[in-house]
Structure formats: structure tokens, C-alpha cells
Amino acid sequence: MKKHLPILALAAAVPVIALLPLPDFWIAQLNYIGLYALVSMGLVLLTGVGGLTSFGQAAFVGMGAYTTAWLTLNLGLSPWLTLFIGLALTGVSALIVGLITLRMSGHYLPLATIAWGLSLYYLMGNLDALGKYDGLLGLKSLSVSDIDIGQGRLFFVLCWALLIAGAVSLLNLLDSRPGRAIRSLKGGTQMAEAMGINTFRYKVTIFLIAALFASVAGWLLAHFQRTVNPSAFGLKMGIEYLFMAVIGGVGYVWGAIVGAGLVKLLDDWLQVALPALIGTSGSYEVIVFGVALVLVLKYLPDGLWSVVARKFPRPPRPMNWQNADDLPVRSKPAMGEPVLVVDKIRKQFGGLTAVNDISFDIAAGQIVGLIGPNGAGKSTTFNLITGVLSKTSGRVTFCGADVSSLPSREISRKGMARTFQHVKMIADMTVLENVAMGAYTRGSSGVMSSMLRTNQAEEQRLMKEAQRQLERIGMGAYLHEQAGNLAMGPQRLMEIARALCCDPALLLLDEPAAGLRHKEKQALAQVLRQLQGEGMSILLVEHDMDLVMDVCDQLVVMEFGTLLTRGTPAEVQANPAVRAAYLGTEH
Ligand code: ADP
Ligand code: MG
């Protein structure tokens, strides 16, 4: 209930405001704020949550606006029909632009969206059919059976009802299986891909959703202003939309409304105040916005809403999953049968052979330790097996299937789960939500069902599984803790629980004891012994010799990329070559 408070408050406020005897000017202001907030809400998803910066949102607003303007004026179509035509056109364009640009990294994506925004602006301004820079005039206001709802208070209700619906659907989305995948995008793609998530597809998806939000705003704007011209959809507006999202709080859905309100009011005020101050008129407000943006980014990098969000942290999800069905489990190789066969895998980085024809295998129920001095090639071997790096040559067979050329998310889907040498998690998500990401491939609900919240049965199953795996390794007390607040030890255990959520046939752990204190190491060793007792197959890369000798059945020793020897811990310890190469330097 508490979680829905902002939505309920806003939903209750809208009809009250509509009935209050406010001056028309303020209603018009609120209408603009609602329109702008709709666009920047899309940007919250795209930029704030997904980490993809777009300056081109105004162009999508323009597509929605021009589509309805041209079709209603020239073909006499109903605006309620042209809304969907506009959405379809925007969707197709966003898909094409997204598929081309979203593989770009770093600054290329923002640059590409600037180019896209500019080209559409000049296209709108130069096409005769679109009235060139004068635009299209004389649009009809929106109406429902002769009642004009396109102006004033009724438009306010329409616009803000759409805004609230948009906010609710985005909040629903972020709190779901695809939502957790979207929230993982900002931190790089490696972890998400290792959970079986197709990160590129989600980038395109949020680009599309943001564009559709913009298109709806454009449709509303066109019929509200009853005229469209390119100036409302140029790069300056593209920058302002981004600015609204950043000021309000780029990761927060509600921040979009705060940001839109502030920018609109500030913009109006500055247009009056600045000429009076400086004595001349011009677009000086852009400079003030620039300075304000720098200040916000410096002192409140998460935007204004982050202050509110910190004051009222999100309470734990009010969901009861104790009666949910268990997730189906995969069939795994029987004890002693081969799980992993590594056959002469090789990796060359230019002239350096980091991994030189390494072969070994793991039988079901075994814990195999991969050890060797720093730079021996352990992590590279790990990445070759999990599909993060491509092999120069060699073969990896997992549960009887050749996975040599599969990407990491396909390998993970087959039941190979891993942790990372440097913990990779979503710090502002709860431990439970982080762990539920591990079960991503065991669910199927998509964006639509998550927005409409028809995904709840599956969500309950995923949460139940996440809780079960956390309790399995003794982390039951941390379910609703923010992952970022955990100490190193529990963070590493959380990663193991996340990997277990994938129902793995093989678990790969990359230096799970690194950075742990003595007590935390003991807890980790306890968890590994327990998993061993349950018959889990594990490949363990680890520096801590006590731990390795304690839990491993077999050791594979690497040095300078080559296989030095392999055998039981006792055999390896007795091997003079190993003592010279490795243990001698360590102990
Ligand atoms: P370990 O995990 O055993 O410490 P790594 O697998 O990280 O060793 O590294 C093995 C060797 O490969 C090192 O000499 C390292 O410098 C080199 N190496 C690792 N990754 C790359 C890379 N992406 N490009 C070039 N050289 C690399
Ligand atoms: Mg390493």
C-alpha cells in the first residue's frame, strides 16, 4: 500500500485540481508539464535506468505530432485512429534507428541520436507536404462525441491520466523479470549476458518504449496546440527533454514529473526575468540551464527525486510467494559422468599465448580447482569455457553438447553458471532481486505482461526460488537488504546464490575468496563443502591454497598458459615442479 502512495496521491490530485477554480493559465502550464513529463519519463527508462543517452527524443515527439496532423488534415482521419498510426510509424523508425545505433558504445550513441534528431528536424522543415518551417495549421482539438476534451481542464485530466498510466506501467516493468534485465544494462553487459540475458534486445526494447512515450506526447501536443511546426521538435527540445530527466532524477520515474515541472516553470520565468535583468532579449535561458545542469550533476548526480527516494526508501515487495509452484528443474548428468570436457583450448592475444592447448575434464559431483601463479591464464581459461572470450582453437563439450562457439548467454541457458572475480551486482536492488536475476532463463514473461502485471504467478515462482537458494547457503537473513550495503563476504555468497538460481549442472567460481576476511572465508568454505555434499559440480579458480586443498577433488595447475600438472591435492602438493613454480612463491 505504502509503495503505491505516490500514484494514489497523484491520481486523487488530478480530478481535485481539475475542479479547483485555478486560473486557466495554470491549467495550461500543467498541461505542458504533463506533456513534457511523458517524454522525459521515457528518457528515465532509456537513460536513467538503461544508461543510454538520447538527444533525439524530440524527433520522435515530432513523428507522433506530424503523423496525426497530416493524416487528420489531409485524409480527414479520426485522431483516435491516427494515434495508433503514429505509434506504428514511430515504432518502426525507432526499431530501425535502434538496430543501427545501439551497438555503438561510448559517445557514439549520443552523437548518433543528435544526427537523427537534426536530420528529422530538417526533413520536417523542408518538405512541402509538411508545410516547411511554417508547419501545419488548423488541427482539430480532441473530442469524444462532440465534447471537446482537447483543451483546458478536460485535456488536463486526459493528459495526466495517460501520464499516470505510463508511470504505473514503467514501475511495474522495472519490478519484473525483464525489468531486472533492463536495470542490469547500465553496469555493462557481461554479468547480464552470463545470466542468459540478451542485452542488445533489451537496449532496442527500451529505445522503442521511450520513442513510443514521445510519440504519444507528440500526438497530444499537436491537438492541444492545434498546429505543428519543426521548432518544437528540434535539437534544442531534445536537449531540454534530457535535461528534465536529469534534473528530476534520471533513475526515478517520478523524477520525470518533477523535472518537467521545474524546467517548464523556470523556462517561463527566465524568459521574463532575464531580459529585465540584462536589458536585452535573447535565448539566454539556455545558459542558465547549462549552469544549473552542471550544478545538479555535481551536487545531486541522481537528480532531485533521489532526495525524496532516500528519505522514503522503497519498502520490500508486498508479495507472498510461499505457496508458489517450484520452477521446473533440468536433467543433469548422473554422478561420475562427464559434465565438462575441455579439449586443447587455446587463446592468443596478438603474440601472447595466454592459454596454450589446455585440456581437462570435470565429472558430475567433482570440485576441480584451477590454480597457478598470477598471469598463468586462469581467468582467460574461465572466459573461454563460459563463452565470454572466443577461442583461437580447441573444443569445449558441456553435458554432451559442443558449446565451443556459443556466446555466453547460450551457454548459461544450458546450465553453466558463474560468479565473477570482481563482484558484479546491481547495488540499488535488493539481495533477493539480484539473486532472482540468476533464474532469468527459467522464466519467460515479457515486457507487455510485466507492464500489465499479468506476470505475477511467474514472479512468485522466481522469488521463491531466489529465497530458496539464499537460504540454501545461509543468506536467508539478507533477503531485503540493498545489495550495495553488503560486506564483501555476503556479496560473494549472493553471487553464488544467483548462480545457483540458474539450476546449474556446473558452477564456475572465479576467486570467490578474494578480499574476504578469515570469518567470511570460513563461511565460504562451509558453503562449498555443503554444495559438494549435495553433488554439485564446481570449477574453482582460487588463490587461497588452504581453501583449494580443503575442498577440491582434483587440481589443474597452470603456468604461463600451459598445463603444468593435474591430480589430487596431495599429488599436486608433492609435485616438485609445482612447488617450484607456485607453492614455493606463495608460501
Ligand atoms: P590469471 O587469471 O591466471 O591471473 P589471466 O588469464 O588474467 O591470468 O591472464 C593470462 C595472461 O593473458 C596474462 O599475461 C595477461 O596479461 C594476458 N591477458 C589477459 N587478458 C588479456 C587481453 N584481453 N588482452 C591481452 N592480454 C591479455
Ligand atoms: Mg584472474
Side-chain angles (χ1 to χ4, degrees), residues 144-223:
V144 179
S145 54
D146 290 342
I147 303 171
D148 183 350
I149 61 163
Q151 307 294 323
R153 280 149 213 278
L154 287 178
F155 182 77
F156 167 74
V157 174
L158 169 70
C159 176
W160 282 73
L162 282 173
L163 184 64
I164 293 172
V168 171
S169 63
L170 282 192
L171 287 170
N172 285 347
L173 173 62
L174 289 175
D175 192 15
S176 71
R177 170 182 177 270
R180 289 184 288 274
I182 291 168
R183 288 161 79 180
S184 76
L185 294 175
K186 211 155 67 167
T189 56
Q190 217 191 71
M191 184 266 283
E193 291 277 332
M195 301 298 130
I197 294 165
N198 185 339
T199 51
F200 180 67
R201 227 188 71 194
Y202 276 111
K203 286 181 180 176
V204 175
T205 304
I206 57 176
F207 193 71
L208 186 69
I209 295 173
L212 294 180
F213 269 65
S215 181
V216 173
W219 173 77
L220 284 169
L221 185 69
H223 291 286

Coordinates of all heavy atoms in Angstrom, one line a residue, residues 144-223:
V144 N -14.7 13.7 -27.8 CA -15.4 12.5 -27.7 C -16.9 12.8 -27.8 O -17.4 13.6 -27.0 CB -15.1 11.8 -26.3 CG1 -15.9 10.5 -26.2 CG2 -13.6 11.6 -26.2
S145 N -17.5 12.3 -28.8 CA -18.9 12.6 -29.2 C -19.3 14.0 -28.9 O -20.1 14.4 -28.0 CB -19.9 11.6 -28.5 OG -19.7 11.6 -27.1
D146 N -18.6 14.9 -29.6 CA -18.9 16.4 -29.6 C -18.5 17.1 -28.3 O -18.6 18.3 -28.3 CB -20.3 16.7 -29.9 CG -20.7 16.3 -31.4 OD1 -19.7 16.2 -32.2 OD2 -21.8 16.2 -31.7
I147 N -17.9 16.4 -27.4 CA -17.4 17.1 -26.2 C -15.9 17.4 -26.4 O -15.1 16.4 -26.7 CB -17.6 16.3 -24.9 CG1 -19.0 15.9 -24.7 CG2 -17.0 17.0 -23.7 CD1 -19.3 14.9 -23.6
D148 N -15.5 18.6 -26.4 CA -14.1 19.0 -26.6 C -13.3 18.6 -25.4 O -13.4 19.2 -24.4 CB -14.1 20.5 -26.9 CG -12.7 20.9 -27.3 OD1 -11.7 20.1 -27.1 OD2 -12.5 22.1 -27.7
I149 N -12.4 17.6 -25.6 CA -11.6 17.3 -24.4 C -10.1 17.7 -24.7 O -9.2 17.3 -24.0 CB -11.6 15.8 -24.0 CG1 -11.2 14.9 -25.2 CG2 -13.0 15.4 -23.6 CD1 -10.9 13.5 -24.8
G150 N -9.9 18.4 -25.8 CA -8.6 18.7 -26.2 C -8.0 20.0 -25.6 O -6.9 20.4 -25.9
Q151 N -8.8 20.7 -24.8 CA -8.3 22.0 -24.2 C -8.6 22.0 -22.7 O -9.5 21.2 -22.2 CB -9.0 23.2 -24.9 CG -8.9 23.2 -26.4 CD -7.4 23.3 -26.9 OE1 -6.6 24.1 -26.3 NE2 -7.1 22.6 -27.9
G152 N -8.0 22.9 -22.0 CA -8.3 23.2 -20.7 C -8.3 22.0 -19.7 O -7.5 21.2 -19.8
R153 N -9.3 22.0 -18.9 CA -9.4 21.1 -17.8 C -9.6 19.6 -18.2 O -9.0 18.7 -17.6 CB -10.5 21.5 -16.8 CG -10.1 22.6 -15.9 CD -11.3 23.4 -15.5 NE -10.8 24.8 -15.3 CZ -10.2 25.2 -14.2 NH1 -10.1 24.5 -13.2 NH2 -9.8 26.5 -14.1
L154 N -10.4 19.4 -19.2 CA -10.6 18.0 -19.7 C -9.3 17.5 -20.3 O -9.0 16.3 -20.1 CB -11.8 18.0 -20.6 CG -13.1 18.2 -20.0 CD1 -14.2 18.1 -21.0 CD2 -13.4 17.1 -18.9
F155 N -8.6 18.3 -21.0 CA -7.3 17.9 -21.6 C -6.3 17.6 -20.4 O -5.6 16.6 -20.5 CB -6.7 19.0 -22.5 CG -5.5 18.5 -23.1 CD1 -5.5 17.7 -24.2 CD2 -4.2 19.0 -22.6 CE1 -4.3 17.2 -24.8 CE2 -3.0 18.6 -23.2 CZ -3.1 17.7 -24.3
F156 N -6.4 18.4 -19.4 CA -5.5 18.2 -18.3 C -5.8 16.8 -17.7 O -4.8 16.0 -17.4 CB -5.8 19.2 -17.2 CG -5.2 18.9 -15.8 CD1 -3.9 19.0 -15.6 CD2 -6.0 18.5 -14.8 CE1 -3.3 18.7 -14.4 CE2 -5.5 18.2 -13.6 CZ -4.1 18.3 -13.4
V157 N -7.0 16.4 -17.5 CA -7.4 15.1 -17.0 C -6.9 14.0 -17.9 O -6.3 13.0 -17.5 CB -8.9 15.0 -16.7 CG1 -9.2 13.5 -16.3 CG2 -9.3 16.0 -15.7
L158 N -7.1 14.2 -19.2 CA -6.7 13.2 -20.2 C -5.2 13.0 -20.2 O -4.7 11.9 -20.1 CB -7.1 13.6 -21.6 CG -6.6 12.8 -22.8 CD1 -7.1 11.4 -22.8 CD2 -6.8 13.5 -24.1
C159 N -4.5 14.1 -20.3 CA -3.0 14.1 -20.3 C -2.4 13.5 -19.1 O -1.5 12.6 -19.2 CB -2.6 15.5 -20.5 SG -0.8 15.7 -20.6
W160 N -2.9 13.9 -17.9 CA -2.3 13.4 -16.7 C -2.8 11.9 -16.4 O -2.0 11.2 -15.8 CB -2.6 14.3 -15.5 CG -1.7 15.5 -15.6 CD1 -1.7 16.5 -16.5 CD2 -0.5 15.7 -14.8 NE1 -0.7 17.4 -16.2 CE2 0.1 16.9 -15.2 CE3 0.1 15.0 -13.7 CZ2 1.2 17.4 -14.6 CZ3 1.2 15.5 -13.1 CH2 1.8 16.7 -13.5
A161 N -3.9 11.5 -16.9 CA -4.3 10.1 -16.8 C -3.4 9.3 -17.6 O -2.9 8.2 -17.1 CB -5.8 10.0 -17.2
L162 N -3.0 9.7 -18.8 CA -2.1 9.0 -19.6 C -0.7 8.9 -18.9 O 0.0 7.9 -18.9 CB -1.9 9.6 -21.0 CG -3.0 9.3 -22.0 CD1 -2.9 10.1 -23.2 CD2 -3.0 7.8 -22.3
L163 N -0.3 10.1 -18.3 CA 1.0 10.1 -17.6 C 1.0 9.1 -16.5 O 2.0 8.4 -16.3 CB 1.2 11.6 -17.1 CG 2.5 11.9 -16.5 CD1 3.7 11.7 -17.5 CD2 2.5 13.3 -15.9
I164 N -0.1 9.1 -15.7 CA -0.1 8.2 -14.5 C -0.1 6.8 -15.0 O 0.6 5.9 -14.5 CB -1.3 8.5 -13.7 CG1 -1.2 9.9 -13.0 CG2 -1.5 7.4 -12.6 CD1 -2.4 10.3 -12.3
A165 N -0.8 6.5 -16.1 CA -0.8 5.1 -16.7 C 0.6 4.8 -17.1 O 1.0 3.6 -16.9 CB -1.8 5.0 -17.8
G166 N 1.3 5.7 -17.7 CA 2.6 5.5 -18.2 C 3.5 5.2 -17.0 O 4.4 4.3 -17.0
A167 N 3.4 6.0 -15.9 CA 4.2 5.8 -14.8 C 4.0 4.4 -14.1 O 5.0 3.7 -13.8 CB 4.0 6.9 -13.7
V168 N 2.7 4.1 -14.0 CA 2.4 2.8 -13.4 C 3.0 1.6 -14.2 O 3.6 0.7 -13.7 CB 0.9 2.6 -13.2 CG1 0.5 1.2 -12.8 CG2 0.4 3.6 -12.2
S169 N 2.9 1.7 -15.5 CA 3.3 0.6 -16.4 C 4.9 0.6 -16.3 O 5.4 -0.5 -16.3 CB 2.8 0.8 -17.8 OG 3.4 1.9 -18.4
L170 N 5.5 1.7 -16.2 CA 7.0 1.7 -16.1 C 7.4 1.1 -14.8 O 8.4 0.3 -14.7 CB 7.6 3.1 -16.3 CG 7.7 3.6 -17.7 CD1 8.6 4.8 -17.8 CD2 8.3 2.5 -18.6
L171 N 6.8 1.5 -13.7 CA 7.1 1.0 -12.4 C 6.9 -0.5 -12.3 O 7.7 -1.3 -11.8 CB 6.3 1.7 -11.3 CG 6.7 3.1 -11.0 CD1 5.7 3.8 -10.1 CD2 8.1 3.2 -10.4
N172 N 5.8 -0.9 -12.9 CA 5.5 -2.4 -13.0 C 6.6 -3.1 -13.7 O 7.1 -4.1 -13.3 CB 4.2 -2.7 -13.7 CG 3.0 -2.4 -12.8 OD1 3.2 -2.2 -11.6 ND2 1.8 -2.3 -13.4
L173 N 7.0 -2.5 -14.9 CA 8.0 -3.1 -15.7 C 9.3 -3.2 -14.9 O 10.0 -4.3 -14.9 CB 8.2 -2.3 -17.0 CG 9.4 -2.7 -17.9 CD1 9.2 -4.1 -18.4 CD2 9.6 -1.7 -19.0
L174 N 9.7 -2.2 -14.3 CA 11.0 -2.2 -13.6 C 11.1 -3.2 -12.5 O 12.1 -3.7 -12.1 CB 11.4 -0.8 -13.0 CG 11.7 0.2 -14.1 CD1 11.9 1.6 -13.5 CD2 12.9 -0.2 -14.9
D175 N 9.9 -3.6 -12.0 CA 9.8 -4.5 -10.9 C 9.4 -5.9 -11.4 O 8.5 -6.5 -10.9 CB 8.7 -4.0 -9.9 CG 8.7 -4.7 -8.6 OD1 9.7 -5.4 -8.3 OD2 7.7 -4.6 -7.9
S176 N 10.2 -6.4 -12.4 CA 9.8 -7.7 -13.0 C 11.0 -8.3 -13.6 O 12.1 -7.8 -13.6 CB 8.8 -7.4 -14.1 OG 9.5 -6.8 -15.2
R177 N 10.8 -9.5 -14.2 CA 11.9 -10.2 -14.8 C 12.6 -9.4 -15.9 O 13.8 -9.2 -15.8 CB 11.4 -11.6 -15.3 CG 12.3 -12.3 -16.2 CD 11.6 -13.6 -16.7 NE 12.5 -14.3 -17.6 CZ 12.5 -14.1 -18.9 NH1 11.8 -13.2 -19.5 NH2 13.3 -14.9 -19.7
P178 N 11.9 -8.9 -16.9 CA 12.6 -8.1 -17.9 C 13.1 -6.8 -17.3 O 14.1 -6.2 -17.7 CB 11.5 -7.8 -19.0 CG 10.2 -8.2 -18.4 CD 10.5 -9.2 -17.3
G179 N 12.4 -6.3 -16.3 CA 12.8 -5.0 -15.6 C 14.2 -5.2 -15.0 O 15.0 -4.3 -15.1
R180 N 14.4 -6.3 -14.3 CA 15.7 -6.5 -13.7 C 16.8 -6.6 -14.8 O 17.9 -6.2 -14.6 CB 15.7 -7.8 -12.8 CG 14.8 -7.6 -11.6 CD 14.9 -8.8 -10.7 NE 14.1 -10.0 -11.2 CZ 12.8 -10.2 -11.0 NH1 12.1 -9.3 -10.3 NH2 12.2 -11.2 -11.5
A181 N 16.4 -7.2 -15.9 CA 17.4 -7.3 -17.0 C 17.7 -5.9 -17.5 O 18.9 -5.5 -17.7 CB 16.8 -8.1 -18.1
I182 N 16.7 -5.0 -17.6 CA 16.9 -3.6 -18.1 C 17.8 -2.9 -17.1 O 18.7 -2.1 -17.4 CB 15.6 -2.9 -18.2 CG1 14.8 -3.5 -19.4 CG2 15.7 -1.4 -18.4 CD1 13.4 -3.1 -19.5
R183 N 17.5 -3.1 -15.8 CA 18.3 -2.4 -14.7 C 19.8 -2.9 -14.7 O 20.6 -2.2 -14.1 CB 17.7 -2.6 -13.4 CG 16.4 -1.8 -13.3 CD 15.5 -2.3 -12.1 NE 15.9 -1.9 -10.9 CZ 15.3 -2.2 -9.7 NH1 14.3 -3.0 -9.7 NH2 15.8 -1.7 -8.6
S184 N 20.0 -4.0 -15.3 CA 21.4 -4.5 -15.3 C 22.2 -3.9 -16.5 O 23.5 -4.0 -16.5 CB 21.4 -6.0 -15.4 OG 21.2 -6.4 -16.8
L185 N 21.6 -3.3 -17.4 CA 22.3 -2.8 -18.6 C 23.4 -1.8 -18.3 O 24.4 -1.8 -18.9 CB 21.3 -2.2 -19.6 CG 20.3 -3.2 -20.2 CD1 19.3 -2.4 -21.1 CD2 21.0 -4.2 -21.0
K186 N 23.1 -0.9 -17.4 CA 24.0 0.2 -17.1 C 25.3 -0.2 -16.6 O 26.3 0.5 -16.9 CB 23.3 1.2 -16.1 CG 23.7 2.6 -16.3 CD 22.7 3.6 -15.8 CE 22.6 3.7 -14.3 NZ 21.9 4.9 -13.9
G187 N 25.4 -1.3 -15.9 CA 26.7 -1.8 -15.4 C 27.5 -2.6 -16.3 O 28.3 -3.4 -15.9
G188 N 27.3 -2.5 -17.6 CA 28.0 -3.3 -18.6 C 27.2 -4.6 -18.8 O 26.3 -4.9 -18.1
T189 N 27.5 -5.3 -19.9 CA 26.7 -6.3 -20.4 C 27.2 -7.7 -19.9 O 26.4 -8.7 -20.0 CB 26.6 -6.4 -21.9 OG1 27.9 -6.4 -22.4 CG2 25.9 -5.1 -22.4
Q190 N 28.4 -7.8 -19.3 CA 29.0 -9.1 -19.1 C 28.1 -10.0 -18.1 O 27.8 -11.1 -18.4 CB 30.4 -9.0 -18.6 CG 31.3 -10.0 -19.1 CD 32.6 -10.0 -18.4 OE1 32.7 -10.4 -17.2 NE2 33.7 -9.6 -19.1
M191 N 27.8 -9.3 -17.0 CA 27.0 -10.1 -16.0 C 25.7 -10.5 -16.6 O 25.3 -11.7 -16.4 CB 26.8 -9.2 -14.7 CG 26.2 -9.9 -13.6 SD 24.4 -9.6 -13.5 CE 24.3 -8.0 -12.9
A192 N 24.9 -9.6 -17.2 CA 23.6 -9.9 -17.7 C 23.7 -11.0 -18.7 O 22.9 -11.9 -18.7 CB 23.0 -8.6 -18.3
E193 N 24.7 -10.9 -19.6 CA 24.8 -12.0 -20.6 C 25.1 -13.3 -20.0 O 24.6 -14.4 -20.4 CB 25.9 -11.6 -21.6 CG 25.6 -10.4 -22.5 CD 24.7 -10.8 -23.7 OE1 24.8 -12.0 -24.2 OE2 24.0 -10.0 -24.2
A194 N 25.9 -13.3 -18.9 CA 26.2 -14.5 -18.2 C 24.9 -15.1 -17.5 O 24.9 -16.3 -17.2 CB 27.3 -14.3 -17.2
M195 N 23.9 -14.3 -17.3 CA 22.6 -14.8 -16.7 C 21.7 -15.2 -17.8 O 20.5 -15.5 -17.6 CB 21.9 -13.7 -15.9 CG 22.7 -13.1 -14.8 SD 23.1 -14.3 -13.5 CE 24.9 -14.1 -13.3
G196 N 22.2 -15.2 -19.1 CA 21.3 -15.6 -20.2 C 20.5 -14.5 -20.8 O 19.6 -14.8 -21.6
I197 N 20.8 -13.2 -20.5 CA 20.0 -12.1 -20.9 C 20.6 -11.6 -22.2 O 21.8 -11.4 -22.4 CB 20.0 -11.0 -19.9 CG1 19.3 -11.5 -18.6 CG2 19.4 -9.7 -20.4 CD1 19.5 -10.6 -17.4
N198 N 19.7 -11.4 -23.2 CA 20.1 -10.8 -24.5 C 20.1 -9.3 -24.3 O 19.1 -8.7 -24.5 CB 19.2 -11.3 -25.6 CG 19.6 -10.8 -27.0 OD1 20.4 -9.8 -27.1 ND2 19.2 -11.4 -28.0
T199 N 21.3 -8.7 -24.0 CA 21.3 -7.3 -23.6 C 21.0 -6.4 -24.8 O 20.3 -5.4 -24.6 CB 22.7 -6.9 -23.0 OG1 23.7 -7.3 -24.0 CG2 22.9 -7.5 -21.7
F200 N 21.4 -6.8 -26.0 CA 21.1 -5.9 -27.1 C 19.6 -5.8 -27.4 O 19.1 -4.7 -27.6 CB 21.8 -6.4 -28.4 CG 21.6 -5.6 -29.6 CD1 22.1 -4.3 -29.7 CD2 20.8 -6.1 -30.7 CE1 21.8 -3.5 -30.8 CE2 20.6 -5.3 -31.8 CZ 21.1 -4.0 -31.8
R201 N 18.9 -6.9 -27.2 CA 17.5 -6.9 -27.4 C 16.8 -6.0 -26.4 O 15.9 -5.2 -26.8 CB 16.9 -8.3 -27.3 CG 15.9 -8.6 -28.4 CD 15.3 -9.9 -28.2 NE 14.3 -9.9 -27.1 CZ 13.7 -10.9 -26.5 NH1 14.1 -12.1 -26.9 NH2 12.9 -10.8 -25.6
Y202 N 17.3 -5.9 -25.2 CA 16.7 -5.1 -24.2 C 17.0 -3.6 -24.5 O 16.2 -2.7 -24.2 CB 17.1 -5.5 -22.8 CG 16.2 -6.6 -22.3 CD1 16.7 -7.8 -22.1 CD2 14.9 -6.3 -22.0 CE1 15.9 -8.9 -21.6 CE2 14.0 -7.3 -21.6 CZ 14.5 -8.6 -21.4 OH 13.7 -9.6 -20.9
K203 N 18.2 -3.3 -25.0 CA 18.5 -2.0 -25.4 C 17.5 -1.5 -26.4 O 17.0 -0.4 -26.4 CB 20.0 -1.9 -25.9 CG 21.0 -2.0 -24.8 CD 22.4 -1.9 -25.3 CE 23.4 -2.0 -24.2 NZ 24.8 -2.0 -24.7
V204 N 17.3 -2.3 -27.4 CA 16.4 -1.9 -28.5 C 15.0 -1.7 -27.9 O 14.3 -0.8 -28.3 CB 16.4 -3.0 -29.6 CG1 15.3 -2.6 -30.7 CG2 17.7 -3.0 -30.3
T205 N 14.6 -2.6 -27.0 CA 13.3 -2.5 -26.4 C 13.1 -1.2 -25.7 O 12.0 -0.6 -25.8 CB 13.1 -3.7 -25.4 OG1 13.3 -4.9 -26.1 CG2 11.7 -3.7 -24.9
I206 N 14.0 -0.8 -24.8 CA 13.8 0.4 -24.1 C 13.9 1.6 -25.0 O 13.2 2.6 -24.8 CB 14.7 0.6 -22.8 CG1 16.2 0.5 -23.2 CG2 14.4 -0.5 -21.8 CD1 17.1 0.8 -22.0
F207 N 14.7 1.6 -26.0 CA 14.7 2.6 -27.0 C 13.3 2.8 -27.7 O 12.8 3.9 -27.8 CB 15.8 2.3 -28.1 CG 16.1 3.5 -29.0 CD1 16.9 4.5 -28.5 CD2 15.8 3.5 -30.3 CE1 17.2 5.6 -29.3 CE2 16.1 4.6 -31.1 CZ 16.8 5.6 -30.6
L208 N 12.7 1.6 -28.0 CA 11.4 1.6 -28.6 C 10.3 2.2 -27.6 O 9.5 3.0 -28.0 CB 11.1 0.2 -28.9 CG 9.8 -0.1 -29.7 CD1 9.9 0.5 -31.1 CD2 9.5 -1.6 -29.8
I209 N 10.4 1.7 -26.4 CA 9.4 2.2 -25.4 C 9.5 3.7 -25.2 O 8.5 4.4 -25.2 CB 9.6 1.5 -24.0 CG1 9.3 0.0 -24.2 CG2 8.6 2.1 -23.0 CD1 9.6 -0.8 -22.9
A210 N 10.7 4.2 -25.1 CA 10.9 5.7 -24.9 C 10.4 6.4 -26.1 O 9.7 7.5 -26.0 CB 12.4 6.0 -24.7
A211 N 10.6 5.9 -27.3 CA 10.1 6.6 -28.5 C 8.6 6.6 -28.6 O 8.0 7.6 -29.0 CB 10.7 5.8 -29.8
L212 N 8.0 5.5 -28.1 CA 6.5 5.4 -28.1 C 5.9 6.4 -27.1 O 4.9 7.1 -27.4 CB 6.0 4.0 -27.8 CG 6.4 3.0 -28.9 CD1 5.9 1.6 -28.5 CD2 5.9 3.4 -30.3
F213 N 6.5 6.5 -26.0 CA 6.1 7.6 -25.0 C 6.2 8.9 -25.7 O 5.2 9.8 -25.5 CB 7.0 7.5 -23.7 CG 6.5 6.7 -22.7 CD1 6.4 5.3 -22.8 CD2 6.1 7.2 -21.4 CE1 6.0 4.4 -21.8 CE2 5.6 6.3 -20.4 CZ 5.6 5.0 -20.6
A214 N 7.3 9.2 -26.4 CA 7.4 10.5 -27.0 C 6.4 10.7 -28.1 O 5.8 11.8 -28.3 CB 8.8 10.6 -27.6
S215 N 6.0 9.6 -28.8 CA 5.1 9.7 -29.9 C 3.7 10.1 -29.3 O 3.0 10.9 -29.9 CB 5.0 8.4 -30.6 OG 4.1 8.5 -31.7
V216 N 3.3 9.5 -28.2 CA 2.0 9.8 -27.6 C 2.0 11.3 -27.2 O 1.0 12.0 -27.5 CB 1.7 8.9 -26.4 CG1 0.5 9.3 -25.7 CG2 1.6 7.4 -26.8
A217 N 3.1 11.7 -26.6 CA 3.2 13.1 -26.2 C 3.0 14.0 -27.5 O 2.3 15.1 -27.4 CB 4.5 13.4 -25.5
G218 N 3.6 13.6 -28.6 CA 3.5 14.4 -29.8 C 2.1 14.5 -30.3 O 1.6 15.6 -30.8
W219 N 1.4 13.4 -30.3 CA 0.0 13.3 -30.7 C -0.8 14.3 -29.8 O -1.6 15.1 -30.3 CB -0.5 11.9 -30.5 CG -1.9 11.7 -30.8 CD1 -2.6 11.6 -32.0 CD2 -2.9 11.4 -29.7 NE1 -3.9 11.4 -31.8 CE2 -4.2 11.2 -30.4 CE3 -2.9 11.4 -28.4 CZ2 -5.3 11.0 -29.7 CZ3 -4.1 11.1 -27.7 CH2 -5.3 10.9 -28.3
L220 N -0.6 14.2 -28.5 CA -1.4 15.1 -27.6 C -1.0 16.6 -27.9 O -1.9 17.4 -28.0 CB -1.0 14.8 -26.1 CG -1.6 13.5 -25.5 CD1 -0.9 13.2 -24.2 CD2 -3.1 13.7 -25.3
L221 N 0.2 16.8 -28.0 CA 0.7 18.2 -28.2 C 0.1 18.8 -29.5 O -0.3 20.0 -29.5 CB 2.2 18.2 -28.3 CG 2.9 19.6 -28.4 CD1 2.8 20.3 -27.1 CD2 4.4 19.4 -28.8
A222 N 0.1 18.0 -30.6 CA -0.4 18.5 -31.9 C -1.9 19.0 -31.7 O -2.2 20.0 -32.2 CB -0.3 17.4 -32.9
H223 N -2.7 18.2 -31.1 CA -4.1 18.5 -30.9 C -4.4 19.6 -29.9 O -5.4 20.2 -29.9 CB -4.9 17.3 -30.7 CG -4.9 16.4 -31.9 ND1 -5.7 16.6 -33.0 CD2 -4.2 15.2 -32.2 CE1 -5.4 15.7 -34.0 NE2 -4.6 14.8 -33.4

